[in-house]
Amino acid sequence: MRLTSSYYADVHAALREALDEQGLDGFLATAPSDVAYLAGFFYAVTERPVYLWFPRQGRPVCLVPQLDDEYARLQRIEADIATYAEYPGVDPAEKVLARLIGERGGPAARIGVSGGLTLGAHRLLSAALPRAEFVTSAVVAGLRITKHPEEIARHREAAAICDEMIAAGRALIEDALHSGGPLPSEGDLAKHVIGYGTDAMYQRYDHVIYTTKLAGGLVYAGPNSAHPHGLPSRRRLEPGDTVILSLGAAVGSRFVESERTFVIGEPTDEQRRYFATAARAQEVGTLGLRAGRSCAEVNRECLDVIRQDGFGAYIRHRQGHGIGVQNHEPPWVEDGDDTVIRPGMVLSSEPGVYVPGHGGYRISDTVLVTEQGPERLTRYPRALEENVIA
Amino acid sequence: MRLTSSYYADVHAALREALDEQGLDGFLATAPSDVAYLAGFFYAVTERPVYLWFPRQGRPVCLVPQLDDEYARLQRIEADIATYAEYPGVDPAEKVLARLIGERGGPAARIGVSGGLTLGAHRLLSAALPRAEFVTSAVVAGLRITKHPEEIARHREAAAICDEMIAAGRALIEDALHSGGPLPSEGDLAKHVIGYGTDAMYQRYDHVIYTTKLAGGLVYAGPNSAHPHGLPSRRRLEPGDTVILSLGAAVGSRFVESERTFVIGEPTDEQRRYFATAARAQEVGTLGLRAGRSCAEVNRECLDVIRQDGFGAYIRHRQGHGIGVQNHEPPWVEDGDDTVIRPGMVLSSEPGVYVPGHGGYRISDTVLVTEQGPERLTRYPRALEENVIA
C-alpha cells in the first residue's frame, strides 16, 4: 500500500512552493492525516503527540514517541526520525521538538500549523519555542484538496473493495432469505461486511497501514435507517425493510465510500416514491460535479430535486464532501462552501431522504472530477429494480 | 448500556460545584468523550461539531447537527437538544450556539473549555461570542479522573468481555495447532477477537453505544511484537513465536484493556527470561497502585524491575494510564505525572519489554484503586506456564 518516493517528492516540492508563497519558514504537521499525507507515517493515535517539522529548506523530521521508533523505520517514512521518551514526560515532546528545530538550523520564526491544533498543544509549543509565531494556515489542506495520480490509483482500488463489501452484505441477506433462516441483525451485517473488507486488504496487500480504519460501515434497516448516523443495532432485518449499507474502505489510507439502499421484498408505493427521489437527486448531484462549478451551487441543485418532490422536510444533510486521507475532508458540497470544483478532486455524492418512523434512502458514490466530467469510482448497481432483495 | 439519570444527576451536581469553585459561568464541552460523560450522547464523530453548553445554573443544552437530532432523542440524552443545519453551513454551528446561549439567559462571560479545543473552533467561537472569555479548564477532566459506582460496574462488565476475547484468541491458535492446519495470521486473529467482543456486546445489551469502538485490539507475533503499537500484519503465526494479544472493550463506552503474552510451543530460555521480567514488573507495578502514592513513583518502581534485570534498553513506554470514557485518559502512570492516586481511579498496568528483531512481552490489567488496595478487573491467567500454547 506504500506510495512511492516519487509521490512524496512531488508533494514536498508543492509544499515548499506554497510555504514560499505564504512567507512561512515551515509547517508543523500535528494531525495524523497530515503526517500520513506528507511523510507516509501511519500510527496508532493516542495522547502521545507526533510532530512533523517540515522546513521550507532542508529535510523534514518526524518526532515520534520512543515506542513508535522502530515502527516508523519499518514504514520507511519520508522524513528523518527523532524520538522523545514518553507522555507527559519529564522532558516533554514540545521541548525535544524545540531543540531539534534549533539544532537543524534554518529560520523558524513563522511556523504554519493547521486549525486542528489544540489550545493545549499550542500553549506547550509557544512556551517551548517562545520566539516562533504559530500561524494557522490551510497550506497543507490546500494541497490535499486535489489528488495526485498515485492517490487516485489507491482510491480506485478502495472503490473496488467497497463495492465488493456491498455485494457481500447483500449476499448475506439473500442467503438468509433463501435458506428460510432468521435474517441477520444490523450488527451481524456490519461485522460481515467490515470483515470482508478487512480480509480483502490483507489478502491483496503485503503491508497494511491506515490512519483510522481499513474498512468500516454503518448498517441500518427499517425505522433505524431514518437516522443517518445511527450505530448498527441488534435489530434483525425484516421483510419489507428499507436497508442502507453505508460502507467505507481505504487503501493506503485513501478512502472511498459506497452506499446503497435495498428493499427486502416487493417495494411498496411509498418506498418506490422515496427511493426514486433519492436516486434522482443523487444522479443530478453527481452529474453536477464538474470543474468550474461551485460546491454550493451543485448542492443546491441536488437537494432541490428532493424539495421539488415535496420531501424537503426529510432532508437531513448536504450532498457530500471531499474524501482523501480522511473519510471526510474539504471541500464540502454544501450551501456554505463556495469552493470551485477542480479536476483531481474526489468527492462523495450522497443526498438522502429520511422519513422518521419509516426509513431512510441514500445512495452514495465516490466521484473523481476529471477534465471530461465526473467519474464514479464506485460502481455497484444503484437502481431499485436491481436492489430489491427477494 | 445506558447509565441512569441518577448517575447524570450526581455528575451534574459535581460539575456545578466545580464551576462555582473556579468562578466559571459554565462549561462548553466539545470533546466527544466529555459530551458522552456529561450528557450520555454518543455519535459518529465528523467535522460537524457537537457543543454541549453546561451553564452553572439551569439545564444543559446540546447543539447537534440536524442529522443527529432524532438519534439524540432516541438516546434520551441528559440535556435539551437544539440543532443546526449543516457543516460548514450558511448559519454555522457557532452562530447558532451564540443565539442559543443568549436566549437561555444567565451569565456567560467566563466559559470553561478543555485544552482539546482546536484553534479553528476557538476562533469561530470567539467571533460568535465576542464578549465571552474562553478559559481552558480541567474541570471536567478532574471529575472524570475518579469513577462513579455506575461507571465501575460498566468497567467490570467490559473486563469480563475483554478476558473472554483473550480466551477466544488463544482458542483460535490452539485449534489450528491441534488440527494441524495453518496458523492464523495476525490479521485473522485480530478479526476473530474483535468479532467475538462485538458479538458479545450485541448479545448482552439492547442498546449498543460507543464513542470510538465496542471492541478492538492489536495482535502481533514474533518480531512484530517488538513494535508496541504496530498494526496487525498478514504474517502468519509460527511455532516458537511470542504472541501479544493487546485487547480492549467498552461497555457504555467505559473502557478496559486486557493484554497477555503467549508463547507457541516450549519457550526458550531467552523467552523465559524476558517473560519473567515483564511479568514481575507488572506485578510490582500493579501492587503499587495504592491510594496516596504518586503515579511517577509507582512507574519508577515498576520500570526499575526491568532496569535492574539489565533490560532497560528494551523499555519503550511507561507503566500505564487512566481509563474511562476514553481508552487512554489522565492520570498517566509515568515519570512526568505527580498525580496522587485515589480510590475510584481505574488505571492500566502494562509495562513491557521489547527486544528488536526478537519480540515483545507485555501483560496489562485494568486496575481499580480501592480503599483496600488495587483490584484487578481483568483476570485472565498471567503466568507463562498457563500461557504456553502447545
Side-chain angles (χ1 to χ4, degrees), chain A residues 41-124:
Chain A
F41 179 42
F42 298 84
Y43 55 100
V45 177
T46 68
E47 66 286 352
R48 298 176 179 101
V50 168
Y51 289 116
L52 175 68
W53 168 237
F54 195 101
R56 188 158 48 162
Q57 287 131 20
R59 285 269 298 169
V61 57
C62 194
L63 179 66
V64 307
Q66 189 184 23
L67 92 169
D68 273 331
D69 185 14
E70 283 109 352
Y71 193 50
R73 288 173 204 286
L74 183 76
Q75 291 184 39
R76 294 181 289 125
I77 74 169
E78 299 279 343
D80 295 339
I81 295 166
T83 64
Y84 66 93
E86 245 304 1
Y87 180 86
V90 174
D91 186 26
E94 292 73 20
K95 291 193 179 171
V96 179
L97 177 71
R99 291 198 300 273
L100 197 60
I101 291 177
E103 285 160 15
R104 297 174 79 91
R110 270 176 63 80
I111 296 178
V113 292
S114 84
L117 185 68
T118 66
L119 296 182
H122 182 255
R123 182 189 301 141
L124 294 171

Side-chain angles (χ1 to χ4, degrees), chain A residues 182-260:
Chain A
L183 292 185
S185 70
E186 294 172 12
D188 295 334
L189 253 176
K191 182 185 168 196
H192 182 74
V193 297
I194 295 169
Y196 180 94
T198 307
D199 285 349
M201 299 288 174
Y202 280 110
Q203 280 155 17
R204 293 178 203 183
Y205 302 100
D206 270 342
H207 181 213
V208 166
I209 46 86
Y210 52 89
T211 50
T212 51
K213 61 184 66 169
L214 290 171
L218 296 176
V219 170
Y220 14 54
N224 291 344
S225 59
H227 306 135
H229 272 190
L231 299 174
S233 81
R234 70 192 294 183
R235 180 184 178 280
R236 280 193 188 286
L237 274 55
E238 293 174 11
D241 274 358
T242 304
V243 182
I244 299 180
L245 296 181
S246 169
L247 310 185
V251 171
S253 197
R254 266 57 184 187
F255 275 88
V256 297
E257 57 180 64
S258 180
E259 302 175 358
R260 293 295 182 265

Side-chain angles (χ1 to χ4, degrees), chain A residues 25-368:
Chain A
D25 295 323
F27 187 83
L28 183 64
T30 54
S33 58
D34 282 346
V35 172
Y37 178 77
L38 294 173
F41 179 42
F42 298 84
Y43 55 100
V45 177
T46 68
E47 66 286 352
R48 298 176 179 101
V50 168
Y51 289 116
L52 175 68
W53 168 237
F54 195 101
R56 188 158 48 162
Q57 287 131 20
R59 285 269 298 169
V61 57
C62 194
L63 179 66
V64 307
Q66 189 184 23
L67 92 169
D68 273 331
D69 185 14
E70 283 109 352
Y71 193 50
R73 288 173 204 286
L74 183 76
Q75 291 184 39
R76 294 181 289 125
I77 74 169
E78 299 279 343
D80 295 339
I81 295 166
T83 64
Y84 66 93
E86 245 304 1
Y87 180 86
V90 174
D91 186 26
E94 292 73 20
K95 291 193 179 171
V96 179
L97 177 71
R99 291 198 300 273
L100 197 60
I101 291 177
E103 285 160 15
R104 297 174 79 91
R110 270 176 63 80
I111 296 178
V113 292
S114 84
L117 185 68
T118 66
L119 296 182
H122 182 255
R123 182 189 301 141
L124 294 171
L125 289 167
S126 299
L129 287 155
R131 281 180 303 194
E133 179 193 4
F134 292 93
V135 182
T136 57
S137 161
V139 69
V140 175
L143 296 181
R144 284 174 53 181
I145 208 161
T146 55
K147 275 56 181 175
H148 189 280
E150 278 201 30
E151 296 186 281
I152 291 170
R154 300 302 191 286
H155 284 290
R156 281 188 199 284
E157 294 171 42
I161 290 175
C162 208
D163 280 346
E164 291 174 34
M165 289 166 64
I166 297 267
R170 181 205 186 119
L172 191 76
I173 305 171
E174 224 152 29
D175 292 350
L177 274 179
H178 294 173
S179 74
L183 292 185
S185 70
E186 294 172 12
D188 295 334
L189 253 176
K191 182 185 168 196
H192 182 74
V193 297
I194 295 169
Y196 180 94
T198 307
D199 285 349
M201 299 288 174
Y202 280 110
Q203 280 155 17
R204 293 178 203 183
Y205 302 100
D206 270 342
H207 181 213
V208 166
I209 46 86
Y210 52 89
T211 50
T212 51
K213 61 184 66 169
L214 290 171
L218 296 176
V219 170
Y220 14 54
N224 291 344
S225 59
H227 306 135
H229 272 190
L231 299 174
S233 81
R234 70 192 294 183
R235 180 184 178 280
R236 280 193 188 286
L237 274 55
E238 293 174 11
D241 274 358
T242 304
V243 182
I244 299 180
L245 296 181
S246 169
L247 310 185
V251 171
S253 197
R254 266 57 184 187
F255 275 88
V256 297
E257 57 180 64
S258 180
E259 302 175 358
R260 293 295 182 265
T261 299
F262 298 89
V263 173
I264 305 182
E266 186 57 26
T268 63
D269 286 352
E270 194 185 10
Q271 287 175 315
R272 287 183 186 282
R273 224 162 30 230
Y274 297 134
F275 191 107
T277 296
R280 202 153 48 81
Q282 205 256 353
E283 179 78 6
V284 167
T286 302
L287 295 180
L289 296 172
R290 296 181 174 277
R293 307 200 65 207
S294 87
C295 286
E297 184 187 340
V298 178
N299 178 64
R300 196 169 51 245
E301 275 182 18
C302 170
L303 300 188
D304 273 350
V305 173
I306 302 176
R307 288 185 278 255
Q308 283 159 8
D309 279 1
F311 299 142
Y314 299 150
I315 294 173
R316 293 288 177 277
H317 59 73
R318 65 193 175 207
Q319 179 188 343
H321 54 77
I323 317 184
V325 183
Q326 285 175 288
N327 60 344
H328 287 202
E329 61 181 44
W332 314 104
V333 188
E334 203 262 343
D335 290 341
D337 190 338
D338 289 326
T339 302
V340 174
I341 294 170
R342 299 206 300 276
M345 286 184 174
V346 176
L347 305 163
S348 77
S349 177
E350 49 172 323
V353 172
Y354 304 95
V355 186
H358 165 76
Y361 299 79
R362 180 168 75 241
I363 295 167
S364 175
D365 284 301
T366 297
V367 179
L368 170 67

Side-chain angles (χ1 to χ4, degrees), chain B residues 204-382:
Chain B
R204 292 176 204 184
Y205 302 100
D206 270 343
H207 180 211
V208 166
I209 47 85
Y210 53 88
T211 49
T212 51
K213 59 183 67 169
L214 291 170
L218 296 176
V219 170
Y220 13 55
N224 291 344
S225 58
H227 307 135
H229 272 189
L231 298 173
S233 80
R234 69 192 294 183
R235 179 184 177 281
R236 282 194 185 285
L237 275 55
E238 293 175 9
D241 274 357
T242 305
V243 182
I244 300 180
L245 296 182
S246 169
L247 310 185
V251 171
S253 197
R254 267 58 184 186
F255 274 88
V256 298
E257 56 179 64
S258 180
E259 302 175 357
R260 293 296 182 264
T261 299
F262 298 89
V263 173
I264 304 182
E266 186 55 28
T268 63
D269 287 351
E270 195 183 9
Q271 286 174 315
R272 288 184 185 282
R273 225 163 28 230
Y274 296 134
F275 192 106
T277 295
R280 202 153 49 80
Q282 206 256 354
E283 178 78 7
V284 167
T286 303
L287 295 179
L289 296 172
R290 295 181 174 277
R293 308 200 64 208
S294 87
C295 286
E297 185 186 341
V298 178
N299 178 63
R300 197 170 48 245
E301 275 181 18
C302 170
L303 299 188
D304 273 350
V305 173
I306 303 176
R307 288 186 277 255
Q308 283 158 9
D309 279 1
F311 299 142
Y314 300 149
I315 294 173
R316 293 287 177 278
H317 59 73
R318 67 195 174 205
Q319 180 189 342
H321 53 78
I323 317 184
V325 183
Q326 284 176 287
N327 60 345
H328 288 203
E329 60 181 46
W332 314 104
V333 189
E334 202 264 340
D335 289 341
D337 190 337
D338 289 325
T339 302
V340 174
I341 294 170
R342 301 205 301 276
M345 284 183 177
V346 176
L347 304 163
S348 77
S349 177
E350 50 171 322
V353 173
Y354 304 94
V355 187
H358 165 76
Y361 298 79
R362 179 168 75 240
I363 294 167
S364 175
D365 283 301
T366 298
V367 179
L368 170 67
V369 180
T370 75
E371 300 280 2
Q372 290 73 44
E375 178 193 342
R376 295 177 178 95
L377 301 183
T378 42
R379 296 179 179 182
Y380 192 88
R382 296 167 195 87

